């Protein structure tokens, strides 16, 4: 199932790149690359590696820590997004391209919007439901790359790269709920568990920062 999901995702990405290559300029590709590079450092704090902690604890502790990890993820992704939004005009000014502002802002907005799907996807992995996990990945890939092609043909320029992040986040949440019926937003916050959980995600943050660098 993992191989199938990879083949489908890469295939759709390949088709999308051909279409974008026909409709977008080299400058459009360049400004998107700059926006993603600028966002990569904040990305390290988007979820704080919390989903890896949830996976490592397994099914036995899922119901206990899924709530606090979800709310911690919402908080960290929202803070990272807010910092990135605040920095967007400065980054655009540094590169002398005002288009960067909205590209970076849209990337940032997609992070907290994706938070509900993270717990749902993690649940599928923990329960070894790889067929359903593949289904969710395939739906997201279809929506993301389909939107990318649609926006490019419609003349959205470099926004064609980032607007699909929003449509993909929404479809990911819908697909995840359809497959799991998990309602993380109704789980208790349980602040007393936050402190022991956070240090466990530190290595994940270090690894992401290293990759970004």
């Amino acid at each position: 199932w993992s191989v199938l999901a990879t083949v489908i995702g890469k295939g759709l990405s390949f088709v999308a790149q051909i279409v974008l290559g026909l409709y977008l300029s080299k400058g459009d590709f360049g400004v998107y690359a700059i926006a993603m590079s600028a966002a990569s450092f904040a990305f390290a704090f988007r979820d704080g590696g919390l989903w890896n902690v949830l996976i490592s604890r397994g099914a036995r502790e899922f119901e206990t820590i899924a709530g606090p990890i979800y709310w911690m993820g919402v908080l960290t992704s929202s803070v990272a997004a807010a910092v990135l939004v605040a920095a967007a005009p400065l980054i655009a000014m540094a590169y002398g391209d005002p288009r960067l502002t909205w590209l970076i802002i849209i990337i940032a907005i997609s992070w907290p919007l994706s938070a509900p799907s993270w717990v749902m996807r993690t649940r599928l992995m923990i329960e070894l439901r790889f067929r359903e996990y593949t289904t969710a990945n395939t739906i997201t890939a279809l929506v993301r790359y389909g939107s990318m092609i649609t926006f490019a043909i419609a003349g959205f320029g470099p926004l064609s790269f980032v607007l699909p992040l929003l449509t993909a986040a929404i479809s990911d949440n819908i697909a995840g709920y359809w497959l799991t019926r998990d309602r993380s937003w109704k789980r208790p916050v349980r602040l007393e568990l936050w402190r022991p959980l956070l240090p466990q995600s530190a290595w994940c943050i270090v690894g992401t920062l290293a990759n970004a660098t």
Side-chain angles (χ1 to χ4, degrees), residues 50-51 54 61-75 119 184 187-195 197-198:
L50 293 164
W51 317 114
L54 186 56
E61 296 187 55
F62 182 87
E63 293 299 328
T64 302
I65 65 173
I69 280 187
Y70 167 74
W71 289 111
M72 290 162 68
V74 170
L75 178 61
V119 173
S184 301
R187 297 180 187 274
V189 178
R190 300 198 64 178
L191 291 174
E192 72 276 9
L193 295 179
W194 286 36
R195 187 171 182 178
L197 286 172
L198 276 174

Side-chain angles (χ1 to χ4, degrees), residues 77-87 108:
S77 63
S78 298
V79 171
V83 171
L84 194 57
V85 167

